[in-house]
C-alpha cells in the first residue's frame, strides 16, 4: 500500500474519531504548510527542527489524530462520548476551560502520542516527523503532554500544526475574528506569540483561499515540476509527495490502527480479511479478486471511527440516533474510497459489508443481484468473525454454534447461502508479513506473547492471570518485559507494534 494512501486513510479515520468534518485534517495540513512557510520566510526559528520542509508540517497535520482510536476507551471513560466529547473540546473557545479539561487527560495524551509516533515509525517517515508525532500536545509554556517540554525543546512543527488546527476549527465554528481572539488568548502558552502574530497577518486570506478549495488542488507527482507556474501551494504539496513517494507499507497497519478503538476489536479486521479471502478461494475467485477481497476486509472497519464507544457497551439500549450512527458506518467507509487512489475499488467493496440479501442491511439497502458476489462473501466473513469474537455482553461462539447462527441468517434471507457455506467451511489463520521498518529483530518469549495477547484484548492483569493459570505478579513481570523489548509503555502502542511486526496474532 502506498504510504501516501495510508496517510490519507488515517487522516480520514482521525477526522471521524474527533467528530470533525472529513476534510478537517486536509484543511489543517494546508494551513500548517502555510504557517511553516511564512515562519521560514520571516526567519522565525521557534522550536526544534524549525528549518524543515513545509510539506512535513502538512504530513504531521494529516497524521496528528492517528492515535485517536488508541485512546478512545480512556476518552470515553473521561467524557462519556469519545467522538462528541472530542468535538466539544476542540471547539471550545475558552482557553481556561480547554486547558483544565486537557489536564485531566494525561494518560490519554500519552497513549495518543506513543501510538502516533509508532505509526510514523512504521510508515518509515523522517525522524523529525516521528519526533513531532510523539510530542503532539506539548506547549510553548511547558504545561503540555506527554513530557512537559517547553520553548525550543518542542518540535517547531507541533506549533505550526496546533495553530493551524485551532485556526481551522475556530474559524469554521466561530468565525475568523473570534478565532483570532481565542488563539490570541493562548499566545505564549500553547504556542509562541511571535508565530501567532505572523499567522494573524494572513489568517483571513488563508481562510478565504481554503473556502475556495485551495486544499483540494491536485498535487504534482513526486519529483515533478510545474514549470514557470510552480506556486508555493504546488511546491509544498510536491514536498509532501516527495517525502512519501518511495515508501510503501502493509495495509495491515491501517487495519490494526482502526481496530485499536476497542480492545475486543484487536485483530478483527485481519480475521475478516483472511476469512473473506479463504472463502473466495473456495468459490473459485481469481487471484486479483482474492487480493481485492482481502484488502477490502482490512479496510471494512474505517467507518467505525465515527461511532462512540459507548454504543457497544453491554446493556446499553440503542436509540434511533445510535442506530443511525451504526447504519452509516459503511457509508463513511465508502466515502474514504475517494481519498485512496490505489485502493478505490477495495474501499468501495468494503462499504458493502453490512448489506443483506433481503435489503435489510446498510447503508444502501441493496438486495439480491444488486450485491456482487465478492460483497456477499465479505458480508458473510464479517458476520462469521463477529459471532466468534467475544464482545461486551456477547461471549464468543464456538465453531458449531457459529455455524448454526450463520445458517439462521441464511434461512432468514439475510446472507447468501453459497458465501456463508464457503466462509463456515474454512478454518485457517494467516500471519501478516512484518513491516519493512522492523528490520531490527525483536523476539518475545512464548509466555510474553500469551500475556500480551490477553492484555491486547482488554483483559486486566488479574483476568489474564486467571486465564493463563499464573499469578498477577507473573503476568506483570512478563508484560513489563514485553513492553521493554517493544520499547513501548502503553497497551495500545505495544499491541500495534507487535501486531504489525508479526509478533502477535489474536
Amino acid at each position: 500500500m502506498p504510504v501516501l494512501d495510508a496517510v490519507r486513510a488515517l487522516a480520514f479515520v482521525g477526522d471521524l474519531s474527533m467528530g470533525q468534518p472529513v476534510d478537517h485534517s486536509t484543511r489543517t495540513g494546508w494551513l500548517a504548510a502555510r504557517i511553516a512557510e511564512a515562519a521560514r520566510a520571516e526567519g522565525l526559528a521557534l522550536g526544534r527542527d524549525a528549518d524543515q520542509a513545509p510539506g512535513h508540517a502538512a504530513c504531521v497535520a494529516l497524521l496528528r489524530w492517528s492515535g485517536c482510536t488508541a485512546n478512545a476507551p480512556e476518552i470515553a471513560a473521561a467524557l462519556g462520548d469519545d467522538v462528541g466529547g472530542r468535538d466539544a473540546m476542540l471547539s471550545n473557545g475558552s482557553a481556561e476551560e480547554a486547558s483544565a479539561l486537557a489536564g485531566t487527560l494525561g494518560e490519554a495524551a500519552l497513549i495518543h502520542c506513543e501510538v502516533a509516533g509508532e505509526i510514523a515509525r512504521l510508515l518509515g517517515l523522517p525522524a523529525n516527523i516521528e519526533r513531532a508525532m510523539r510530542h503532539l500536545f506539548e506547549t510553548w509554556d511547558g504545561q503540555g503532554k506527554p513530557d512537559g517540554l517547553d520553548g525550543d525543546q518542542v518540535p517547531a512543527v507541533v506549533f505550526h500544526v496546533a495553530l493551524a488546527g485551532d485556526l481551522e476549527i475556530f474559524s469554521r465554528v466561530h468565525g475568523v475574528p473570534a478565532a483570532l481572539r481565542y488563539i490570541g488568548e493562548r499566545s505564549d502558552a500553547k504556542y509562541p506569540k511571535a508565530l501567532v502574530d505572523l499567522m494573524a497577518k494572513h489568517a483571513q486570506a488563508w481562510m478565504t483561499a481554503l473556502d475556495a478549495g485551495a486544499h483540494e488542488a491536485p498535487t504534482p507527482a513526486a519529483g515533478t515540476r510545474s514549470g514557470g507556474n510552480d506556486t508555493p501551494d504546488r511546491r509544498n504539496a510536491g514536498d509532501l509527495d516527495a517525502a512519501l513517494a518511495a515508501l510503501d507499507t502493509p495495509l495491515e497497519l491501517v487495519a490494526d490502527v482502526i481496530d485499536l478503538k476497542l480492545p475486543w476489536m484487536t485483530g478483527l479486521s485481519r480475521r475478516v480479511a483472511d476469512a473473506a479471502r479463504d472463502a473466495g478461494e473456495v468459490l473459485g475467485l481469481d487471484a486479483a479478486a482474492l487480493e481485492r477481497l482481502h484488502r477490502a476486509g482490512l479496510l471494512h472497519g474505517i467507518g467505525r471511527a465515527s461511532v462512540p464507544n459507548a454504543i457497544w457497551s453491554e446493556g446499553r439500549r440503542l436509540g434511533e440516533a445510535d442506530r443511525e450512527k451504526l447504519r452509516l458506518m459503511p457509508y463513511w467507509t465508502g466515502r474514504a474510497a475517494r481519498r485512496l487512489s490505489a485502493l478505490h475499488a477495495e474501499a468501495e467493496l468494503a462499504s458493502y459489508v453490512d448489506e443483506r440479501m433481503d435489503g435489510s442491511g446498510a447503508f444502501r439497502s441493496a438486495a439480491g443481484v444488486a450485491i456482487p458476489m465478492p460483497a456477499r462473501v465479505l458480508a458473510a466473513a464479517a458476520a462469521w468473525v463477529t459471532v466468534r469474537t467475544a464482545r461486551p455482553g456477547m461471549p464468543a461462539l464456538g465453531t458449531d454454534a457459529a455455524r448454526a447462527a450463520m445458517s439462521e441468517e441464511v434461512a432468514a434471507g439475510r446472507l447468501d447461502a453459497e458465501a456463508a457455506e464457503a466462509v463456515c467451511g474454512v478454518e485457517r489463520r494467516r500471519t501478516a508479513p512484518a513491516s519493512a521498518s522492523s528490520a531490527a529483530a525483536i523476539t518475545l518469549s512464548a509466555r510474553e506473547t500469551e500475556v500480551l495477547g490477553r492484555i491486547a484484548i482488554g483483559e486486566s492483569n488479574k483476568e489474564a492471570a486467571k486465564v493463563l493459570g499464573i499469578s498477577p505478579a507473573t503476568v506483570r513481570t512478563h508484560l513489563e518485559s514485553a513492553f521493554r523489548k517493544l520499547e513501548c509503555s502503553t497497551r495500545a502502542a505495544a499491541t500495534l507494534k507487535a501486531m504489525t511486526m508479526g509478533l502477535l496474532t489474536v
Side-chain angles (χ1 to χ4, degrees):
M1 177 186 191
V3 163
L4 190 56
D5 265 352
V7 170
R8 288 168 175 157
L10 292 171
F12 192 92
V13 169
D15 287 344
L16 292 180
S17 297
M18 298 300 292
Q20 298 302 300
V22 292
D23 63 349
H24 161 65
S25 288
T26 306
R27 286 164 61 92
T28 299
W30 188 90
L31 284 171
R34 302 288 80 71
I35 292 170
E37 185 180 58
R40 173 186 280 183
E42 293 288 330
L44 287 182
L46 300 167
R48 184 175 178 180
D49 301 327
D51 190 29
Q52 60 181 293
H56 287 194
C59 187
V60 172
L62 289 171
L63 286 173
R64 72 169 178 153
W65 300 135
S66 59
C68 285
T69 53
N71 68 6
E74 288 73 20
I75 296 292
L79 304 181
D81 179 344
D82 53 300
V83 179
R86 285 169 168 150
D87 179 25
M89 182 170 59
L90 290 180
S91 303
N92 190 346
S94 168
E96 184 176 347
E97 290 181 16
S99 179
L101 182 58
T104 68
L105 301 176
E107 178 65 19
L110 172 61
I111 294 169
H112 184 122
C113 289
E114 189 167 59
V115 167
E118 281 303 316
I119 290 170
R121 188 188 65 80
L122 290 166
L123 289 173
L125 298 179
N128 53 5
I129 291 181
E130 178 186 342
R131 185 158 47 243
M133 300 300 292
R134 293 186 183 277
H135 296 285
L136 285 168
F137 306 121
E138 305 289 0
T139 59
W140 182 252
D141 64 3
Q143 298 302 305
K145 304 291 182 181
D147 296 326
L149 303 182
D150 67 345
D152 288 337
Q153 293 179 308
V154 181
V157 71
V158 169
F159 300 134
H160 302 154
V161 172
L163 191 52
D166 284 352
L167 177 60
E168 198 283 325
I169 293 173
F170 291 155
S171 295
R172 171 165 40 85
V173 176
H174 306 288
V176 174
L180 295 179
R181 184 170 68 253
Y182 294 146
I183 289 171
E185 293 171 357
R186 293 162 168 81
S187 289
D188 277 342
K190 187 173 183 179
Y191 17 64
K193 185 177 185 302
L195 195 62
V196 172
D197 292 343
L198 176 62
M199 176 277 298
K201 297 177 184 178
H202 304 280
Q204 185 60 68
W206 286 342
M207 295 310 301
T208 298
L210 265 186
D211 291 341
H215 63 297
E216 298 171 350
T219 64
T224 65
R225 296 287 184 182
S226 301
N229 296 319
D230 191 16
T231 65
D233 290 356
R234 288 184 174 273
R235 284 199 308 273
N236 291 328
D239 286 343
L240 176 56
D241 283 353
L244 307 181
L247 302 176
D248 199 49
T249 192
L251 184 55
E252 282 80 4
L253 172 60
V254 175
D256 292 339
V257 173
I258 293 168
D259 290 348
L260 287 176
K261 184 167 172 59
L262 282 163
W264 64 264
M265 291 179 178
T266 300
L268 184 72
S269 295
R270 288 178 182 247
R271 296 195 297 276
V272 170
D274 286 351
R277 181 168 56 186
D278 289 343
E281 189 172 354
V282 169
L283 294 171
L285 299 184
D286 62 37
L290 291 176
E291 183 62 22
R292 188 160 51 248
L293 190 54
H294 185 258
R295 287 170 171 258
L298 292 172
L299 288 171
H300 86 279
I302 285 178
R304 286 200 302 263
S306 67
V307 179
N309 276 13
I311 287 181
W312 281 288
S313 298
E314 181 178 359
R316 178 186 173 109
R317 182 180 180 278
L318 299 183
E320 183 176 355
D322 294 332
R323 292 193 296 272
E324 183 67 5
K325 287 184 174 69
L326 292 171
R327 189 185 77 82
L328 288 175
M329 285 193 302
Y331 164 78
W332 290 117
T333 300
R335 283 288 303 276
R338 304 176 189 178
R339 308 291 181 89
L340 309 178
S341 57
L343 296 169
H344 184 99
E346 288 84 347
E348 181 68 13
L349 173 57
S351 72
Y352 277 85
V353 69
D354 288 341
E355 301 293 352
R356 294 296 179 261
M357 296 298 293
D358 62 356
S360 64
F363 64 97
R364 301 173 183 83
S365 297
V369 295
I371 305 175
M373 178 52 77
R376 301 180 194 187
V377 174
L378 181 62
W384 171 252
V385 170
T386 298
V387 298
R388 302 191 70 197
T389 300
R391 53 201 191 281
M394 296 289 289
L397 298 183
T399 300
D400 291 342
R403 286 175 175 156
M406 294 287 284
S407 294
E408 290 178 7
E409 291 297 293
V410 171
R414 289 185 285 270
L415 292 179
D416 178 82
E418 190 177 8
E421 182 179 357
V423 168
C424 293
V426 178
E427 283 289 335
R428 194 166 17 159
R429 174 179 290 183
R430 290 186 175 92
T431 299
S435 166
S437 63
S438 60
I442 296 177
T443 302
L444 299 181
S445 70
R447 184 60 91 182
E448 288 166 352
T449 301
E450 286 180 324
V451 168
L452 183 58
R454 305 312 305 182
I455 300 302
I457 61 174
E459 291 183 352
S460 66
N461 286 8
K462 184 178 292 186
E463 290 168 334
K466 184 176 181 180
V467 171
L468 297 175
I470 57 180
S471 72
T474 302
V475 167
R476 184 171 60 253
T477 297
H478 287 301
L479 190 60
E480 289 174 351
S481 177
F483 277 21
R484 184 171 58 254
K485 290 178 179 180
L486 292 167
E487 298 181 328
C488 295
S489 63
T490 64
R491 176 200 65 81
T495 298
L496 177 65
K497 191 169 185 177
M499 290 285 288
T500 305
M501 296 179 66
L503 299 174
L504 181 66
T505 57
V506 293

